[in-house]
Amino acid sequence: MNAEYLLKAQEILEKMTLKEKIGQMTQISYNGKNFDAVAEKIEKYGIGSIILAGSAFAGNTAENGTNVSGIDRLQKTAVENTRCGIPLLFGRDVIHSHKTVYPINLAMAASFDPEAVEHCYNEIRDEAAADGVNWTFAPMLDFCHEPRWGRIIECQGEDPYLASKMAGAIVKGFQGDDLKEPGMIAACAKHYIGYGASEGGRDYNHTEISDYALYNNYLPAFRSAVDAGVATVMNSFNEVNGVPVAASRRLLTDVLRGDLGFDGFVISDWASITQLKNHGLAADNRDAAKKSLYAGIDMDMVDNCYLDHIEELVTSGEVDITEVDTAVLRILYVKLRLGLFEHPYRVRKEQDLAKHIEDSKLMCEKSMVLLKNEGGLLPLKKEGSYCLTGPFLKERQSHVGAWSLATESMTVKNIEEAVREAVPGAEITVLDEIEAQYVYPRNCDVIICFLGEPKCVTGEAQSLADIGVTKQQAELVKSLKKSGKPVVGVLCYGRPTVLTEVEPLFDAMIYAWHGGTMAATAIAEVLFGDAEPTGRLPVTLPMSVGQLPLYYNALPGARIMNGYYNGESRMTHNYNDCPGTPLYPFGYGLSYGKFDYSVAAADESELSFKDLMSGRKFRVSVDVTNTSDVSSTETVQLYVRDKVASRVRPLRELKGFKKITVDAGKTETVSFGLSLKELGFYLEDGSYITEPGEFEIYVGENCLTENSVTVKVTA
Ligand code: GLC
C-alpha cells in the first residue's frame, strides 16, 4: 500500500460520520433515466459509487448507453452538494467493448498475444473514460472447464498460465502504468472465486473445489491481476466448501489479502449479499450484511443491505466500527490511487475510432482458429465463383457477443456484405438455408457455409445442456455436401462447440467466435487471403458433450487410460461408446503456412536444486522452419510435466508461448528461459514448492506435441 494515500485516506475517514461511511460502502444503479432519484440519494447518503447499468443482466438486456451529461452532473452533486465532497466511482461492465466491440474474451485469449490484448484494452479504456466511466467490472478471470456454462465466453481459457498472462494484460490495459493519470480506469478482477466450476455448467450452481485445485488452477489469474496492481475485486455468487464466497472470510480476507497481497477493495456482485438468504446462510438482510462485512466485502452492489442495516448493527454493538472503518479506508484508498480527488470529472480525449475499429479487426484475425484446411483450400482465390449460405451469413448483432452493452444502434456489417466488398471480382451467389435443404448449388467453385450460435444463448444465465451444432445446421451441411463441391465452414460460436457431426463434411473450417464490430470484415479478409487466421484454441473442443469435463491439463489416474493423450487401450479406455480424445486439443490451430520443428534441446540436462534456488535459469530451444512458400505465423508452446512429485501433477502444463512470424523457407530459433517458478506448484495449504526430480519439457504446436527433452533437478 502507498503510505501517502493511506495517510490521506485516514484523514478523510476521521472527519466522516457513520452514515457517511456507510454511504461510501454503497453502490446504486443509474440507468441514464433516473437522475433525480440518484442525485437525491447521493446528497442524502454520500453514496460511494454508481453502477451504469439498469439490470442484473447488463449483458443480456438492452442497456442504455452511458448518459454522459448525467454522469457529469452526478459527480458535481457528490463533489459540491455533500458534506465530505468525496467523488463517485462510476462502474460499468466494460468487458470487451465500450463503443468499438472487440472479440469476446475467450476469442482474445485464442490470440495468445497478451501485448495485443493490452493494446486493445488501452483503446477500450479510452472510449469508456471519455464517457465518464472510471471503474470497470473486468477482467473476468473465472477458471472454467465447462463449455455448457454460458459465461465461458468471458473466460481467458482453460489454462491458468494463459489466463494469468491475459489477466495482467487487461489490468494494465485499463489501469496503465500509473492509475492516477487522468483517463485511467480502475479494473476489477472477478468473480472471486470458483464461479466457473458451477456444476454441469448450470449458472449460479454448487461448486466442488479442492484447496489443491483452488491454489493451482483458480487463483493464479487473480494472483497475476493482484501483482499487476488491480484496484478492486468482485466476489462470485457460488459457495466453496459449503460457504458462499460472499460470507467467506477465509477466501475474501485470509486468502485474497493474506496469500495474494490484495490491497484494494472488494465489491459484491449484483445482490450477492442479500442472496445469502437464498443460500440459506443468512436469515435476513441484516444477518447477510453482518456476515458479508465480516467476510471482507467492502462495497454493496445495489441490494442496499449495508445502507439499511450497518448503522443499527454498529450502534447495537453487534458490528465493531473498525470493520466499517477498514472497508471505507480501502474504498478511499482506491479513489486516491485513481486520482479522483484531483480530477473527479471525465477526461475529454480525442479518440481515433477508425484506428480502434481497425485494431478490433486485427484482434479478430489473431483470434480466429483454422481447424481444417484440406489440400490448402484456404485462402480462396479472389476471382472465383462462390455460393454463400448458412444462418450466420446475414447475422449482425450476435457478432458483438453477450457482454457488449448498448449496441442495438451499432451498425455491424454482415458477412455477405463483407464478402462482396472483399472480392468484387468474384461471382457470388447466395443460397437461402431453406432452399439449400432442397437444392444444392452447382454453378460455383466452392460453397462457404456460415454457422454459429446466437449471442442470446451465451453469457450470464444462458447455459446449454447440448453444445452440439444444431440439427438444422447439421442437415444444411449434409445437403451442401451432396453437391460434391468443396465446402468451407465458418463457425461463429461464443463457447466451445461439439463439431463432430459436421467436421467430416467440411473441407476447411475456421472457428471465428463472436468477433466484434469487424467480425464480418475479418472473416472475409481471412477467407480470401488478405489476412491469416493465427489463433490457437484456448479451450478443448470435445467430441461429445458426454466427455465433459474434458481438458488438457488433466491429472494422471491410477491406470494409463487418459484418452486426451491417447493413453487408451482395448482393456483400459475412457468410454465404450466414445474415444477419450478431444476433437481438437488445447493450443491447436493451423496456419496458412507449414512449420517443421527441430528436436527440443536444453542448455542444461541436469541442474542442482541449489542452483535453481539461487535463481539460475536454464533454456530450452527449438528451431522452427517455415517450409511453405508464404510468410506465416505460428504460436510455439512450451509445456512441463513434473514426472514424480509429492502431489499428482498434470500430464501437461503450459509454461510458455511465443507467437512468431517466419518468412517462407526461413528458420527461427525460439528459446524459453525456465526457472524454479515454472517447475513448482502449490500445496493445498497455499505454500509454493519446487521439488528435485525429472521434468519433461515439451515444445511444439499444441499440447499433444511429443517433441520433448528431459531435464533433471538434483537434490
Ligand atoms: C452481474 C455479473 C457481473 C457484473 C455485475 C454488474 O450479475 O455477475 O459479472 O459485473 O452483475 O453488471
Side-chain angles (χ1 to χ4, degrees):
M1 283 187 123
N2 174 306
E4 178 206 336
Y5 294 155
L6 205 50
L7 210 57
K8 181 75 185 135
Q10 194 65 45
E11 283 167 17
I12 299 167
L13 179 75
E14 279 158 9
K15 297 179 189 124
M16 295 171 75
T17 65
L18 176 55
K19 277 186 191 307
E20 288 162 342
K21 292 174 182 176
I22 297 166
Q24 279 301 303
M25 297 161 68
T26 300
Q27 180 181 69
I28 59 176
S29 156
Y30 173 52
N31 61 15
K33 296 175 183 156
N34 55 342
F35 178 87
D36 293 343
V38 172
E40 188 190 331
K41 279 197 167 181
I42 292 169
E43 290 189 17
K44 184 175 177 190
Y45 298 111
I47 296 293
S49 172
I50 304 293
I51 175 171
L52 301 170
S55 82
F57 300 98
N60 291 338
T61 51
E63 277 296 316
N64 303 314
T66 40
N67 179 329
V68 180
S69 71
I71 290 171
D72 286 347
R73 287 185 296 133
L74 288 175
Q75 189 65 294
K76 196 167 163 48
T77 303
V79 170
E80 296 179 7
N81 299 0
T82 62
R83 196 181 72 85
C84 298
I86 299 171
L88 291 160
L89 282 167
F90 288 97
R92 187 166 170 89
D93 289 295
V94 181
I95 307 303
H96 57 98
S97 66
H98 182 67
K99 288 193 169 71
T100 307
V101 180
Y102 295 71
I104 57 172
N105 283 92
L106 193 56
M108 283 204 260
S111 72
F112 277 76
D113 191 342
E115 290 72 28
V117 169
E118 182 177 337
H119 175 72
C120 290
Y121 274 92
N122 290 156
E123 296 177 341
I124 294 167
R125 171 201 66 205
D126 291 350
E127 289 185 8
D131 274 3
V133 178
N134 54 27
W135 182 23
T136 177
F137 304 125
M140 192 272 212
L141 300 177
D142 289 289
F143 179 79
C144 179
H145 283 156
E146 191 34 89
R148 290 173 290 185
W149 190 44
R151 302 199 74 167
I152 193 170
I153 65 159
E154 305 168 53
C155 295
Q156 313 301 327
E158 74 188 35
D159 172 71
Y161 178 84
L162 176 61
S164 299
K165 295 295 180 190
M166 291 298 159
I170 298 170
V171 169
K172 285 291 297 298
F174 278 120
Q175 300 194 168
D177 294 326
D178 177 4
L179 182 56
K180 195 164 188 140
E181 200 185 307
M184 297 302 113
I185 288 184
C188 181
K190 75 180 185 182
H191 306 83
Y192 182 87
I193 184 120
Y195 185 14
S198 300
E199 271 185 344
R202 293 184 293 278
D203 214 333
Y204 315 122
N205 197 22
H206 170 66
T207 65
E208 273 303 333
I209 300 173
S210 70
D211 284 347
Y212 185 54
L214 180 77
Y215 280 102
N216 287 292
N217 291 338
Y218 292 85
L219 280 171
F222 285 91
R223 198 182 291 271
S224 172
V226 170
D227 293 348
V230 71
T232 65
V233 163
M234 182 189 290
N235 77 286
S236 56
F237 290 124
N238 58 293
E239 57 26 85
V240 178
N241 293 331
V243 179
V245 175
S248 173
R249 184 171 180 87
R250 174 184 174 244
L251 290 172
L252 286 172
T253 300
D254 304 344
V255 173
L256 178 61
R257 295 183 187 278
D259 289 351
L260 273 59
F262 175 61
D263 65 7
F265 76 81
V266 175
I267 179 153
S268 62
D269 196 346
W270 192 287
S272 60
I273 295 176
T274 186
Q275 284 166 189
L276 288 178
K277 294 182 295 184
N278 304 345
H279 282 288
L281 204 96
D284 52 33
N285 283 345
R286 181 181 186 278
D287 191 21
K290 179 179 171 186
K291 285 174 173 156
S292 285
L293 180 59
Y294 177 69
I297 289 191
D298 304 302
M299 185 183 279
D300 174 4
M301 183 187 284
V302 309
D303 62 22
N304 290 336
C305 288
Y306 284 7
L307 200 62
D308 296 344
H309 299 286
I310 295 290
E311 182 174 11
E312 186 271 325
L313 280 163
V314 170
T315 51
S316 71
E318 270 193 62
V319 165
D320 191 296
I321 185 65
T322 54
E323 288 183 48
V324 171
D325 288 348
T326 302
V328 178
L329 209 58
R330 290 165 177 162
I331 293 166
L332 293 172
Y333 179 76
V334 168
K335 291 186 174 184
L336 286 159
R337 272 192 68 195
L338 192 53
L340 268 191
F341 290 88
E342 283 92 342
H343 47 80
Y345 298 101
R346 66 192 169 93
V347 180
R348 289 167 179 72
K349 190 174 175 183
E350 275 314 301
Q351 304 287 329
D352 183 351
L353 291 182
K355 173 114 181 30
H356 294 186
I357 288 271
E358 177 63 15
D359 288 344
S360 76
K361 184 195 76 176
L362 294 176
M363 177 49 73
C364 198
E365 290 158 359
K366 287 173 188 272
S367 303
M368 275 189 250
V369 184
L370 180 61
L371 296 175
K372 186 176 182 181
N373 192 17
E374 295 298 296
L377 176 62
L378 296 178
L380 300 169
K381 294 181 187 58
K382 292 195 172 182
E383 304 71 37
S385 67
Y386 302 105
C387 171
L388 312 182
T389 186
F392 257 70
L393 176 62
K394 298 180 187 292
E395 171 60 32
R396 295 179 194 278
Q397 274 304 313
S398 280
H399 291 303
V400 300
W403 271 101
S404 297
L405 279 52
T407 55
E408 286 64 37
S409 59
M410 187 178 282
T411 49
V412 180
K413 203 172 285 179
N414 73 27
I415 294 173
E416 182 189 353
E417 292 157 353
V419 168
R420 290 186 184 282
E421 210 172 280
V423 286
E427 184 191 341
I428 301 288
T429 52
V430 171
L431 187 62
D432 168 82
E433 291 156 71
I434 310 290
E435 193 186 333
Q437 289 172 31
Y438 297 89
V439 174
Y440 51 73
R442 289 186 172 78
N443 57 340
C444 65
D445 302 329
V446 178
I447 301 166
I448 313 173
C449 181
F450 301 92
L451 305 181
E453 64 183 344
K455 67 172 189 168
C456 63
V457 298
T458 67
E460 186 170 356
Q462 304 297 339
S463 296
L464 290 176
D466 180 353
I467 56 169
V469 173
T470 62
K471 194 163 173 37
Q472 300 89 319
Q473 294 190 36
E475 287 308 312
L476 170 62
V477 182
K478 286 174 191 163
S479 66
L480 296 174
K481 193 62 193 166
K482 287 181 201 144
S483 68
K485 304 276 182 189
V487 186
V488 176
V490 178
L491 311 164
C492 303
Y493 292 90
R495 61 162 53 79
T497 299
V498 174
L499 303 169
T500 312
E501 190 177 4
V502 296
E503 189 275 332
L505 306 172
F506 285 126
D507 298 274
M509 289 198 300
I510 295 177
Y511 217 76
W513 311 100
H514 287 161
T517 315
M518 293 300 279
T521 304
I523 288 167
E525 290 194 356
V526 159
L527 284 172
F528 294 97
D530 290 324
E532 182 182 28
T534 63
R536 295 293 181 266
L537 289 176
V539 281
T540 296
L541 294 188
M543 265 191 193
S544 153
V545 72
Q547 291 176 308
L548 297 181
L550 184 70
Y551 46 90
Y552 97 94
N553 40 1
L555 298 179
R559 297 201 172 169
I560 309 295
M561 53 190 293
N562 188 300
Y564 205 107
Y565 294 93
N566 301 309
E568 295 180 289
S569 66
R570 193 175 57 77
M571 288 309 290
T572 55
H573 42 265
N574 292 147
Y575 305 97
N576 279 317
D577 57 350
C578 177
T581 46
L583 187 63
Y584 293 104
F586 176 84
Y588 177 87
L590 302 175
S591 305
Y592 282 159
K594 289 263 179 293
F595 293 95
D596 276 354
Y597 282 71
S598 67
V599 175
D603 60 355
E604 311 254 3
S605 58
E606 189 165 313
L607 297 98
S608 77
F609 186 71
K610 193 160 140 294
D611 283 349
L612 274 174
M613 287 292 281
S614 64
R616 177 89 171 273
K617 281 181 179 263
F618 64 94
R619 302 199 72 80
V620 176
S621 308
V622 285
D623 288 338
V624 181
T625 303
N626 176 351
T627 57
S628 70
D629 56 5
V630 289
S631 170
S632 185
T633 299
E634 170 73 321
T635 298
V636 181
Q637 300 157 43
L638 179 137
Y639 296 86
V640 170
R641 167 93 207 266
D642 186 347
K643 296 166 87 168
V644 178
S646 57
R647 296 293 183 278
V648 177
R649 298 301 303 140
L651 290 162
R652 297 284 191 286
E653 286 183 87
L654 181 72
K655 290 295 180 187
F657 54 84
K658 289 189 180 175
K659 195 162 188 171
I660 57 170
T661 299
V662 186
D663 287 340
K666 300 290 185 214
T667 296
E668 180 124 356
T669 299
V670 177
S671 174
F672 295 91
L674 296 169
S675 64
L676 210 61
K677 199 159 64 72
E678 286 76 31
L679 304 181
F681 59 93
Y682 289 95
L683 293 173
E684 56 281 4
D685 66 1
S687 58
Y688 191 80
I689 64 166
T690 302
E691 297 171 322
E694 279 198 359
F695 295 84
E696 204 62 27
I697 315 288
Y698 298 85
V699 185
E701 65 281 12
N702 62 57
C703 69
L704 297 186
T705 181
E706 289 300 330
N707 186 18
S708 72
V709 59
T710 306
V711 173
K712 188 170 181 183
V713 177
T714 53

